Amino acid sequence: MEEWVSAFLVHLQNKNFSPHTVKSYRADLHEFLLFFKQRKQDDLRHFTSANIRSFLAALQTKNDPARNTVLRKIASLRSFAAFLLTQGKLERNPFKLLPAPKREKILPKFLSEQETDRLLETAANSKHFAARDKALFELMYSSGLRRSEVTGLNIKDVDYFNGIVKVFGKGAKERLVPVTDAALDALKIYLACRKNPQPDDALFLNKNGKRLTGDGLAYIFKNTAIASHLARKVTPHSLRHSFATHLLNNGCDLRSLQEMLGHKSLSATQVYTHVSLEKLKSVYEHAHPKNKE
């Protein structure tokens, strides 16, 4: 089974899945392999509905993971099974008899506009990489890019004349996203500090002059949040959530937001309407005279 897991991961890379996604699939499937090796059942004929149930039961007994973590592991195994079916290595789909549990709805965590301003101001005053970090944070807040999308950008992907950036999202799907003048100005200043930047060069570099990685980006966000004295954990996705929530709160329509975020379906974007409704309820409760009695 192990060689087919390796083949599946190569298949994902060839399909241009993000490194972060491939890393998650690898971790989930290796955990699955370890479980069956301990039971001395590491052949594809043991990849059955009953054994998948046993794995999930053991997983929950061992460390009681969050519901959505379990769902992600199920999704990894389901994708692996689909790959094996296309390769003719399974006679039947082991997930056909397994019910698909519903994902737990979790409202995205976002920063207020004031917190976002503080984060951007701190990035602009970074001790060693002020020009880069200002450009990085301004671009991400103005466009709502995913972590893998921003680290995958090249210099030529920024269109300064039209004020847009060309992004390669999930499944290597290309989309055009508008960005603010503030972000474009910050990018010009950052690139002016670079030695002989070329169109095909990475847009954002790390301290060693190499392309900034997803882990490197997360590290920058962690340190910038600490320096900003924000009480909450801040990740690159926090800024994406903030971008979406702030746009909706200021009148952006769902379809336009869906396009900018690169969501395949509108339902993925609709989660932000719940966040906006929570804010609306809060304003209502503080403003309605009957709530003050």
Side-chain angles (χ1 to χ4, degrees), residues 103-119:
R103 180 173 291 276
E104 183 180 14
K105 288 186 178 180
I106 301 175
L107 293 182
K109 296 178 181 179
F110 63 97
L111 302 173
S112 68
E113 291 185 34
Q114 292 74 25
E115 288 173 323
T116 304
D117 287 341
R118 195 192 317 170
L119 189 71

Side-chain angles (χ1 to χ4, degrees), residues 7-290:
F8 173 60
L9 294 172
V10 170
H11 168 74
L12 294 180
Q13 291 170 333
N14 291 338
K15 287 286 186 179
N16 290 318
F17 278 68
S18 74
H20 179 69
T21 301
V22 174
K23 183 179 178 181
S24 296
Y25 273 95
R26 181 181 290 110
D28 293 340
L29 292 171
H30 282 177
E31 186 175 7
F32 177 71
L33 281 175
L34 180 61
F35 174 78
F36 283 100
K37 280 184 178 180
Q38 290 171 343
R39 294 160 60 109
K40 300 190 184 304
Q41 295 181 331
D42 57 354
D43 192 88
L44 285 178
R45 60 192 172 87
H46 296 123
F47 193 22
T48 64
S49 300
N51 282 339
I52 292 170
R53 283 196 188 96
S54 297
F55 168 68
L56 295 174
L59 181 71
Q60 292 178 301
T61 302
K62 183 173 67 174
N63 52 19
D64 191 25
R67 178 181 178 82
N68 285 348
T69 300
V70 174
L71 290 177
R72 193 201 69 214
K73 294 180 187 296
I74 292 174
S76 298
L77 291 173
R78 191 185 294 275
S79 296
F80 180 48
F83 171 73
L84 292 175
L85 285 167
T86 62
Q87 300 298 312
K89 295 300 176 181
L90 290 180
E91 292 183 6
R92 59 182 64 86
N93 187 346
F95 284 91
K96 194 170 184 180
L97 300 176
L98 289 175
K102 291 185 178 180
R103 180 173 291 276
E104 183 180 14
K105 288 186 178 180
I106 301 175
L107 293 182
K109 296 178 181 179
F110 63 97
L111 302 173
S112 68
E113 291 185 34
Q114 292 74 25
E115 288 173 323
T116 304
D117 287 341
R118 195 192 317 170
L119 189 71
L120 266 59
E121 184 178 349
T122 303
N125 292 290
S126 169
K127 188 174 182 180
H128 301 293
F129 303 98
R132 182 201 64 186
D133 290 357
K134 178 177 173 60
L136 179 62
F137 279 72
E138 287 284 359
L139 177 66
M140 291 190 72
Y141 179 53
S142 75
S143 60
L145 298 187
R146 299 179 178 94
R147 182 169 76 167
S148 60
E149 291 171 345
V150 73
T151 56
L153 288 174
N154 292 327
I155 291 174
K156 66 182 178 183
D157 294 328
V158 182
D159 181 344
Y160 293 92
F161 182 78
N162 292 301
I164 56 175
V165 61
K166 182 169 65 175
V167 182
F168 292 92
K170 289 186 175 180
K173 290 186 177 179
E174 181 183 308
R175 72 182 191 278
L176 300 176
V177 183
V179 294
T180 62
D181 288 340
L184 294 173
D185 290 343
L187 282 168
K188 289 176 184 176
I189 293 171
Y190 166 54
L191 290 175
C193 300
R194 298 250 305 258
K195 292 181 179 179
N196 193 31
Q198 299 299 308
D200 289 319
D201 290 347
L203 182 59
F204 293 108
L205 304 179
N206 60 23
K207 65 180 181 180
N208 299 317
K210 304 295 184 183
R211 181 182 293 273
L212 184 65
T213 65
D215 288 343
L217 181 60
Y219 180 78
I220 292 169
F221 264 77
K222 179 182 176 181
N223 287 341
T224 305
I226 292 171
S228 301
H229 303 292
L230 296 177
R232 67 184 76 194
K233 179 182 178 182
V234 178
T235 67
H237 230 62
S238 303
L239 210 50
R240 178 173 164 85
H241 291 324
S242 303
F243 160 83
T245 305
H246 297 169
L247 256 63
L248 270 186
N249 286 342
N250 285 282
C252 181
D253 64 277
L254 270 179
R255 287 290 183 187
S256 297
L257 184 59
Q258 177 192 0
E259 181 70 22
M260 286 184 276
L261 291 173
H263 284 161
K264 185 184 294 185
S265 66
L266 190 61
S267 60
T269 314
Q270 285 173 329
V271 66
Y272 294 105
T273 63
H274 297 295
V275 176
S276 297
L277 282 173
E278 289 298 315
K279 180 186 177 183
L280 187 63
K281 283 165 62 179
S282 176
V283 171
Y284 171 82
E285 288 167 1
H286 284 87
H288 198 289
K290 287 293 184 181

